[in-house]
């Protein structure tokens, strides 16, 4: 072995020895979990970051228990029902999308070594179980309230407010699986029927949405662009001449066009007003937008350019913001 390699090895051993002695013994050998409590060690450049690291480790511990025990399958089957279970996947529960912020955590050890903070966190399983039960109850109660609100809401507005129901269901599945892990597999009769019913109702309303776009023939480009944006949202449209019973909502487009010519450029500007109405003709939302376009050919091409600018604004703002719904 040459001198350079020898010095490198010795230096590495010295660094390794220095690192091992600078870390507290209790951090190198963490307290073992018991049937009563969970423990986790964290470190960081600040005390706050060390505590955050310990909390992350505690979440990972819970999820290691969840994933190694088969609780995910059990929760998915219980929530969705046996008839739907075969279509479900374990990946429906993902710790990265719904981490648990634990309350009641205490830090019984804290030490700083060479600019690094080390902490040991501990929480009782009883605290975890209590928190999870509370959160599960809240999730289901919120779903119940949304189902009640449906009776007094416009279907589109209600659907938009609840279209992220999958996130609520994700939180439900996450916490149910964690609860089983924290309870060592003991059954807990926490309700989830309202979340499942809300998911079913949200999907039903989405499938019932049918739009009509009412515009002058001269505004065909703009009407087509609106219909295209609705199609991108998987919302069907019908002819504007259809009876009100044939659609759930109608977008009424009225425009005021201005033309000018500067040098060789033809310029068209439109002030467009949009009113979103339900099938009974009641205005649900409204908005106004200005779009402009130009061409060196003629006003027809300038008008098409302005219509494309109109469409671009829908893309930039998002359809529902553009219409003034949200």
């Amino acid at each position: 072995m040459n001198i350079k390699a020898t010095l490198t090895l010795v230096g590495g051993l010295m660094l390794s020895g220095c690192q091992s002695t600078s870390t507290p013994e209790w951090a190198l050998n963490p307290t073992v979990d018991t049937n009563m409590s969970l423990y986790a060690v964290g470190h960081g450049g600040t005390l706050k970051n060390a505590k955050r690291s310990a909390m992350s480790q505690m979440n990972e511990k819970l999820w290691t228990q969840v994933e190694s025990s088969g609780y995910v399958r059990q929760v998915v089957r219980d929530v969705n029902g046996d008839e739907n279970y075969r279509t479900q996947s374990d990946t429906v529960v993902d710790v990265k999308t719904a981490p648990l912020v634990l309350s009641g955590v205490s830090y019984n050890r804290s030490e700083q070594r060479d600019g690094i903070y080390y902490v040991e966190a501990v929480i009782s399983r009883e605290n975890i179980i209590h928190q999870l039960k509370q959160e599960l109850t809240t999730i289901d109660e919120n779903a119940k309230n949304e189902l009640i609100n449906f009776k007094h809401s416009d279907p589109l507005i209600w659907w938009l407010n609840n279209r992220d129901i999958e996130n609520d269901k994700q939180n439900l599945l996450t916490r149910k699986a964690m609860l089983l892990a924290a309870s060592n597999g003991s059954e807990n009769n926490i309700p989830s029927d309202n979340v499942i019913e809300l998911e079913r109702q949200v999907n039903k309303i989405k499938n019932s949405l049918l739009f009509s776009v009412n515009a002058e023939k001269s505004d065909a480009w703009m009407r087509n662009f609106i219909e295209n944006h609705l199609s991108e949202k998987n919302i069907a449209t019908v002819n504007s001449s259809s009876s009100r019973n044939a659609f759930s909502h109608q977008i009424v487009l009225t425009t005021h066009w201005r033309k000018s010519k500067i040098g060789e450029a033809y310029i068209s500007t439109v002030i467009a007003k949009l009113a979103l109405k339900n099938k009974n003709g009641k205005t649900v939302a409204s908005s106004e937008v200005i779009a402009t376009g130009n061409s060196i050919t003629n006003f027809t091409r300038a008008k098409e350019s302005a219509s494309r600018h109109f469409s671009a604004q829908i893309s930039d703002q998002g359809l529902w913001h553009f219409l003034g719904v949200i």
Side-chain angles (χ1 to χ4, degrees), residues 250-269:
Q250 184 177 58
I251 297 173
V252 179
L253 172 67
T254 56
T255 60
H256 176 67
W257 288 90
R258 295 175 181 172
K259 298 189 297 184
S260 61
K261 192 171 184 293
I262 301 178
E264 298 299 319
Y266 296 87
I267 301 172
S268 288
T269 301

Side-chain angles (χ1 to χ4, degrees), residues 76-227:
V76 172
R77 183 173 59 250
D78 291 345
V79 171
N80 290 287
D82 291 335
E83 67 278 8
N84 297 323
Y85 174 63
R86 292 183 181 179
T87 64
Q88 300 299 321
S89 166
D90 287 358
T91 57
V92 74
V93 181
D94 184 356
V95 65
K96 293 181 180 179
T97 62
L100 180 67
V101 180
L102 294 167
S103 59
V105 175
S106 60
Y107 300 92
N108 51 2
R109 288 178 177 175
S110 177
E111 193 172 339
Q112 184 184 17
R113 294 279 188 94
D114 298 332
I116 302 297
Y117 289 86
Y118 299 87
V119 298
E120 181 182 70
V122 59
I123 186 172
S124 70
R125 289 183 182 271
E126 184 179 351
N127 275 355
I128 296 174
I129 292 170
H130 178 70
Q131 178 181 339
L132 288 168
K133 286 183 175 180
Q134 280 191 323
E135 292 189 13
L136 283 166
T137 299
T138 299
I139 291 171
D140 200 65
E141 282 294 324
N142 289 341
K144 180 181 178 180
N145 290 335
E146 289 301 330
L147 288 169
I148 293 173
N149 290 339
F150 174 67
K151 300 176 182 178
H152 313 289
S153 304
D154 176 83
L156 174 64
I157 304 298
W158 185 87
W159 171 72
L160 288 171
N161 289 336
N162 292 283
R163 57 183 163 162
D164 294 329
I165 178 60
E166 287 302 320
N167 291 338
D168 293 333
K169 188 177 180 182
Q170 174 74 40
N171 288 333
L172 174 79
L173 294 171
T174 298
R175 279 146 182 76
K176 275 187 170 288
M178 280 187 165
L179 183 57
L180 277 172
S183 306
N184 294 316
S186 299
E187 292 288 343
N188 293 276
N189 295 321
I190 305 297
S192 58
D193 293 347
N194 288 310
V195 174
I196 303 307
E197 176 59 23
L198 180 60
E199 180 187 38
R200 188 192 69 79
Q201 191 69 13
V202 166
N203 291 332
K204 179 181 177 181
I205 295 303
K206 170 63 183 302
N207 293 332
S208 71
L209 294 175
L210 187 61
F211 274 58
S212 168
V213 181
N214 190 340
E216 297 292 333
K217 289 183 179 180
S218 58
D219 293 321
W221 277 315
M222 298 174 73
R223 183 188 67 245
N224 290 338
F225 283 132
I226 295 173
E227 290 176 345

